Structure formats: structure tokens, C-alpha cells
Amino acid sequence: MPENLELQQFQEATPPVSDPAPRWLERLQSRLGANCPYLGILLATLSSLFFSLCSVIVKGLVDVNPMELASFRFVGVLLPALPILIYTRQPVFPDGKRVILLLRCFMGTTGLMLSFYAFRHMPLADASVIIFSTPVFVAIFARAFLKEPCTLFNVLTINMTLVGVVLITRPPFFFGEPAGTEDILTGKSYDIWGPVAAISSTLFGANVYILLRALKNLHFSVIMTNFGTIALVYTLIVCGSIGAVCWPSCGRDRWLVVVLGIFSFLGQILLTLSLQIEQAGPVAIARCADIVFAFVWQMIFFGETPTAYSLVGAFMVIASVVLTALKKWASTLPRESSLRKRLRLVLLE
């Protein structure tokens, strides 16, 4: 399929993905779905737990460059996915999805590298809140690429998120004080590049949400194998260009790098499965658990107490994400549904 036709198919088919579910997904849902109707929500929450622990490791390994840690993470994604791909005999680079796969890999890799930089140079919870405001900004790119309408609701939630981000980052031209505080691990002051990296990661992540939905009916091993392979090459090129290619020096750091790879694989596979089982709205709500975990880990492992500005900003961002997800979910319900009627204020009906 020519690339222009593939992208056209993506634009036309993404919003109402109507292809039949693949057999492996139907078997998984038939085995587990009856006993666990909220399986997708549970998988997304567990994914948040593993990803939040990954951010703790990135924050704690101060002697290893964040870009190098990103490459180790992609090794953890690629190695377990390859045997699954071979065992299930899935096509490695399926025709008709290649451009979308490449875009997903580029957007996801760039966003993750930026998020690792933000975790290192910002308080853990603050960086997590900014990065997980991603679902709110999906509306912007859905308008740009999918020609979906940008409603008053989208404008309100986007502005609420932006205010929350401003409260978290506290730029000096608004607050008249230095940007950030002193890092509990390195003793260095935060600079403006940490928040810039977090916000940029959010914008790349918003595109990943749209692209993943376009890849809904691909086996998760195909998505993860392509993601791990391309991302690994990408990050190694970046590491080589900045002179950050080296193996961690001490035993503890080496073990944590291995754990980072394992947790990354578990988080990625659970997130991919949750998006293939459940609608994007409820998954986005469940992914907010990552912010809660981040605040807990920040206080337990790093002794960093969140400021009042951070807490208010986090509340505004979480509220925007939850409202966005509820609106997306409610809009898919039948018009006669009692649940949809109870959520009519969210739908502005």
C-alpha cells in the first residue's frame, strides 16, 4: 500500500475503529473478561505502577545519563517481545501499517527520552503530573490530523491543564522567584529545561495516543518489537552523539538497570493490552494512578514534600484528564443509556 493511502486510511479509520478484533484478543477476553469485567482498567493501573517505578529508578541513578537509561529501557522492551513475536508467527513489519508504526516509534521514543530528562531534573511528582496531562492535548492533534471538532469543553480542559502546569513549574516571569528548588540527590538547582522537556514529552505523547488506537488490531508483540528495535537504534545514536555510551560502574546500578528493563516491558505490555481491551477514556483515567504513585514515591524515596502550588496544579491537571476521559467514554455509550444521561453535564448535552 502506498504511504499516502496508508495515512489516508489512518485518518479515515482511526476515530471509529471498526475492524473485527483478532482471534488472540477474543480468546483473552473470553477467558478473563467474564470473571473480570474491568480487566482493561486493572491492566492500565498495573501499567501505571510499573512505569512509576521506572521513573523512580531514572531519578535515583544520578551517575547514568538519562538518554543511556532510555536505551536500556528499550532493550527491556525488545528482548521479551521477540520470542512472543516468533512464537505467534506474526508479521514483523505488516503491510498497510508501516508508516503508522514508524511514526509511533519516533513519537514514543522522543517523548520517553524527554520524560527521562524531566524526571532527572524536576521533582518526580511534578514531572509526572505534566507528562500525564497528555490526554487533554490529544484534542489538539485530533483536530489537526483527524479533523475532529475542538469543542468548548476541549478549550476549557486545555486551559485548566495549562494553568495547572504553570502552578507546577512556577515560571519566574509569573511568580518572581527562581524556577524550581534544590535537587535532594544532586544538590543542583532545577533549570527551565526540566519543565520544557516535560511539556515537550506531553506533546509527543499526545500523538502516540492517536497512533496506538490506529494500531489497535495488531498483536502487541508486533508493536513492541518495532518500538523496541527502532527506539533502541534511535537512542544509541543519541547516546553516541553526546558521548554517553558506557556500562554502569557499580553492581547496584547494574541491577537497577536490569530491573528498569523488566519493569519497562511489563508496563508497556500491560498498557498495550489495556488499550486493545478497553476504550481509551477509561484507560486514561486509570493511568492517572501514575501521578498518585509518583507523589508517594517522591516522599518515600527522595524525601521531597510537594508544595501547595504543586498540589493545586496536580489537582487541576488530574481533573482535566478525568473529565476528558469521562467525556470520551460517555460519548460512546448508547443515547438511551442511564449512565450517559447521568454524565450529560460532561457531554454538554
Side-chain angles (χ1 to χ4, degrees):
M1 178 182 297
E3 292 184 1
N4 60 331
L5 293 180
E6 183 178 333
L7 290 175
Q8 181 181 355
Q9 177 194 41
F10 161 59
Q11 179 173 332
E12 294 173 351
T14 299
V17 179
S18 57
D19 296 337
R23 292 182 180 178
W24 68 270
L25 185 55
E26 290 179 347
R27 288 197 297 268
L28 178 65
Q29 290 174 313
S30 63
R31 291 177 184 176
L32 300 178
N35 298 324
C36 185
Y38 302 105
L39 178 62
I41 303 295
L42 177 61
L43 293 179
T45 305
L46 288 174
S47 170
S48 294
L49 173 62
F50 285 114
F51 280 138
S52 69
L53 291 172
C54 287
S55 63
V56 171
I57 295 174
V58 172
K59 179 77 173 175
L61 288 176
V62 294
D63 294 327
V64 185
N65 190 285
M67 300 302 106
E68 186 179 4
L69 287 175
S71 64
F72 286 126
R73 170 170 174 166
F74 292 127
V75 171
V77 170
L78 175 62
L79 290 182
L82 273 175
I84 300 174
L85 180 76
I86 295 171
Y87 177 76
T88 55
R89 299 180 180 179
Q90 299 293 326
V92 178
F93 201 43
D95 186 34
K97 298 290 185 180
R98 291 173 181 173
V99 174
I100 302 175
L101 272 173
L102 289 173
L103 287 172
R104 184 267 180 271
C105 294
F106 172 75
M107 295 290 181
T109 307
T110 305
L112 186 131
M113 289 192 292
L114 290 168
S115 70
F116 274 25
Y117 185 91
F119 287 139
R120 179 64 57 83
H121 295 277
M122 289 182 68
L124 184 63
D126 289 358
S128 296
V129 170
I130 295 174
I131 291 166
F132 282 94
S133 64
T134 294
V136 177
F137 293 100
V138 169
I140 297 175
F141 295 103
R143 172 61 181 171
F145 300 118
L146 305 179
K147 307 306 178 185
E148 293 181 1
C150 190
T151 64
L152 175 62
F153 177 88
N154 297 132
V155 174
L156 291 174
T157 52
I158 290 171
N159 280 285
M160 187 188 302
T161 301
L162 291 175
V163 172
V165 170
V166 168
L167 289 174
I168 292 168
T169 57
R170 298 183 296 282
F173 50 85
F174 282 136
F175 291 84
E177 60 185 42
T181 56
E182 191 175 83
D183 193 302
I184 194 72
L185 295 176
T186 64
K188 298 180 180 178
S189 295
Y190 301 121
D191 54 34
I192 193 62
W193 295 113
V196 168
I199 295 170
S200 300
S201 174
T202 298
L203 299 180
F204 280 100
N207 285 284
V208 171
Y209 264 75
I210 295 174
L211 293 166
L212 274 177
R213 291 302 291 171
L215 299 172
K216 177 180 178 180
N217 289 328
L218 283 186
H219 194 276
F220 66 86
S221 64
V222 177
I223 299 173
M224 294 178 66
T225 299
N226 281 277
F227 183 38
T229 303
I230 297 172
L232 181 58
V233 174
Y234 184 2
T235 51
L236 287 177
I237 292 173
V238 172
C239 288
S241 64
I242 63 176
V245 181
C246 63
W247 183 248
S249 56
C250 69
R252 170 184 168 275
D253 288 357
R254 293 176 183 178
W255 280 111
L256 286 176
V257 164
V258 174
V259 173
L260 174 66
I262 295 173
F263 284 177
S264 297
F265 174 76
L266 293 174
Q268 191 67 50
I269 191 174
L270 290 171
L271 175 60
T272 302
L273 286 173
S274 69
L275 283 169
Q276 292 180 320
I277 293 173
E278 185 57 84
Q279 297 178 27
V283 169
I285 295 175
R287 290 281 290 145
C288 286
D290 199 301
I291 298 174
V292 178
F293 290 135
F295 274 105
V296 173
W297 304 147
Q298 174 176 304
M299 291 185 287
I300 292 176
F301 294 111
F302 307 113
E304 297 178 343
T305 303
T307 66
Y309 285 125
S310 293
L311 291 174
V312 174
F315 174 78
M316 296 184 72
V317 171
I318 292 174
S320 298
V321 173
V322 170
L323 287 172
T324 300
L326 282 175
K327 178 178 173 61
K328 179 69 175 178
W329 183 24
S331 65
T332 64
L333 299 173
R335 287 196 170 272
E336 62 275 10
S337 169
S338 60
L339 179 57
R340 176 165 181 151
K341 292 177 181 178
R342 288 197 293 268
L343 294 173
R344 63 182 180 275
L345 289 178
V346 176
L347 288 168
L348 299 179
E349 292 182 341

